[in-house]
Amino acid sequence: MAGQGPRIVVCPGSYDPVTNGHLDIIGRAARVFDRVVVGIVGNAPRKAGHLFTPEERKVFIEQALATNGVENVEVRVFRNLLVDFARECGATAIVKGLRAISDFEYEFEMNQLNRKLAEDIESVYILASPDYSFIRSSGVKEIAEFGGDVSDLVPKPVSDALVERLKR
Ligand code: PNS
C-alpha cells in the first residue's frame, strides 16, 4: 500500500463526555495512523439524553489532546452517515475501541451496516487497555449524578463540568 498518501482514520462516537478510555484509544490510533479525525455525532443533545452539546464535547476532547501533546488528531462534529463523514475526511478506515465481549454484538452489527453502505471503508478495532476496560460515559455520568468521584475516569475539565452540570 506504499505511495497512497497519508493514512487517515475516523474515530467516531458520542463522547458525552470523553473518558480516559476514549483518550487511550484515540492516542493509540494516533500512533498507528498518520492522521486521526475524532468524529462526534452531532444529534440534538436532548434527543438521545445527552448531557453536553456536541460543541462542548468537542472542546473537552481538544483540551485533553492539547494537554497530552497529541498533534495529529483533529476533532469534528458530524451530522451525516458515518461512512459519508469518513469519505469527507479522506479516511480509509473507521477505528473503534472494544472493551469487552458485551461490546462485540453491537459493534458487529454496526460493522455489517457500514460495510453494506460502503465496503471500501474498513473498520479497525483497538482493544481497551485493562486500566480502562470498565469505563463508559453512561457509568461516569451516573457516578457523578450520585455525587461520586470521577476524577480518575475523565480529564479534570470534564469532571469539573460534570459536577457543575449535575448539581442538584
Ligand atoms: O459512542 P457511540 O454512541 O457508541 O457512537 C455511535 C456512533 C456515533 C458510532 C454511531 O451512532 C454512528 O455511526 N452514527 C452516525 C450515523 C450512522 O452512520 N449510522 C449508521 C451506522 S450503524
Side-chain angles (χ1 to χ4, degrees), residues 42-119:
N43 43 1
R46 305 259 176 273
K47 200 175 133 201
H50 288 143
L51 190 58
F52 298 103
T53 66
E55 286 67 30
E56 287 171 324
R57 292 179 250 158
K58 178 172 187 273
V59 172
F60 290 142
I61 300 173
E62 285 173 342
Q63 283 173 336
L65 293 170
T67 303
N68 296 351
V70 183
E71 285 179 356
N72 55 333
V73 180
E74 177 194 350
V75 188
R76 290 172 60 176
V77 175
F78 73 102
R79 293 185 163 83
N80 50 351
L81 276 177
L82 174 57
V83 290
D84 291 340
F85 174 67
R87 285 218 176 87
E88 273 167 36
C89 296
T92 46
I94 294 162
V95 172
K96 305 206 71 181
L98 273 186
R99 282 165 303 207
I101 299 191
S102 51
D103 280 345
F104 181 80
E105 204 172 339
Y106 172 70
E107 292 300 341
F108 186 76
E109 190 180 315
M110 297 260 255
N111 181 301
Q112 303 299 311
L113 289 170
N114 285 327
R115 183 187 302 273
K116 188 94 190 142
L117 293 168
E119 62 181 23

